[in-house]
Structure formats: structure tokens, C-alpha cells
Amino acid sequence: MNYELTIFKNQFDNKTHRHMVLDDWDKFVNVLKNMYKEKGEKGGNNSSPLISPAVFEVDTTRSNKSTRYWGGWCCVDVDDHTFSRDVQVLDEQLHKLFGEYDYVVYNTASSRDDHLKFRIVFRLDEHIENERIKAFWYALNTELGE
């Protein structure tokens, strides 16, 4: 199974040529760890890179219409749910909720000490073709309790 991602320099970048294919989940996780070691400033042209599971048609820009499929993973942002700020307790809470899945968690650029915000990246066992993404997204949010 390959894990694919498209990387955007910032929130304004819509060019889809920065595409990576990794043949192993651990390699994919290492790319995520290295990508987010240094936090960019929030927003603007100097923000942290953005990633997407979407693989796009060649020579197109970022859009739902030009998406071919999601490349073996998906993610959700956790911005408004209150979890413990203690990392060990947070890890236990997440494991209790999502322990049956393979996932990795990292802070987003808008995370603060007094209000953790993070992304949960889930491993999938297949690519999600464009025509299935909307139904998949609904099912994912239902499974995760919105």
C-alpha cells in the first residue's frame, strides 16, 4: 500500500505538483514528523506547509473537481474538543477513542498551551476514489462522533 500526499507551501498555494509517494506507513509518519518540526507563523505566505491526502490530475490546481483520489490516509482537525493538556492523559484519551485504528497526532499551527488544537491522521487500507470521497467523509465523521 502506498501513502500519497500533496504538499502546499501555505494556505494560498494551489499548485498540485508537490506530490510524494511513500511505500510504507512508518516512512509516511517520519515525513509528517520532519515536516512539522519547525512551526511556521500562522497564516499568510510564511505559514506552515499544508498537506492533503488528495492526489490531483496533472497540471491542475487544488480543487474537488481535479481530485483523483485520497492517497491511503485521511485526517481530522480537533479544534473545539476539550482534552487534557497532560500529554500522557491525552494519549490515553485518544487511545480509548481511536485505539482500534492506526493513527498519528500532531499539533496544528493554531494550537496554544491553554487550548490544544491538533490533527489526527488515520491510516487507510485503500485509496478513496473521488466519487467516494463525500460518502467516506460523512461516514468518517459519523464514526468519530463528529
Side-chain angles (χ1 to χ4, degrees):
M1 175 74 189
N2 287 334
Y3 302 94
E4 301 181 54
L5 66 152
T6 304
I7 303 167
F8 301 96
K9 292 187 293 188
N10 56 52
Q11 66 189 19
F12 302 107
D13 182 14
N14 68 354
K15 295 175 180 54
T16 61
H17 65 284
R18 287 177 213 85
H19 176 241
M20 292 183 74
V21 180
L22 299 134
D23 62 1
D24 178 87
W25 176 251
D26 291 331
K27 290 177 185 175
F28 175 77
V29 170
N30 281 331
V31 165
L32 293 179
K33 286 180 182 177
N34 289 326
M35 187 175 294
Y36 292 101
K37 271 184 184 174
E38 293 188 30
K39 211 176 184 180
E41 299 195 24
K42 186 178 178 199
N45 292 332
N46 296 324
S47 67
S48 297
L50 304 176
I51 60 170
S52 173
V55 175
F56 298 92
E57 297 291 339
V58 176
D59 295 327
T60 61
T61 56
R62 182 174 61 186
S63 71
N64 291 338
K65 183 176 81 175
S66 63
T67 299
R68 293 176 50 215
Y69 58 87
W70 282 2
W73 62 281
C74 65
C75 62
V76 294
D77 288 347
V78 179
D79 293 334
D80 299 320
H81 192 81
T82 303
F83 284 97
S84 173
R85 289 188 300 153
D86 179 306
V87 174
Q88 184 174 351
V89 173
L90 174 60
D91 186 48
E92 290 169 5
Q93 290 173 323
L94 292 174
H95 183 74
K96 185 176 179 181
L97 292 169
F98 309 122
E100 66 188 282
Y101 308 109
D102 288 333
Y103 66 91
V104 62
V105 177
Y106 61 89
N107 288 351
T108 58
S110 58
S111 186
R112 300 183 318 263
D113 287 339
D114 63 334
H115 189 137
L116 291 180
K117 295 183 181 189
F118 51 92
R119 183 163 293 132
I120 307 173
V121 178
F122 292 97
R123 176 183 184 169
L124 303 178
D125 57 8
E126 63 182 278
H127 292 169
I128 308 299
E129 299 300 324
N130 183 322
E131 57 275 356
R132 295 176 44 220
I133 291 173
K134 188 174 182 180
F136 173 82
W137 186 249
Y138 177 80
L140 175 67
N141 279 277
T142 300
E143 175 69 16
L144 301 180
E146 304 297 326

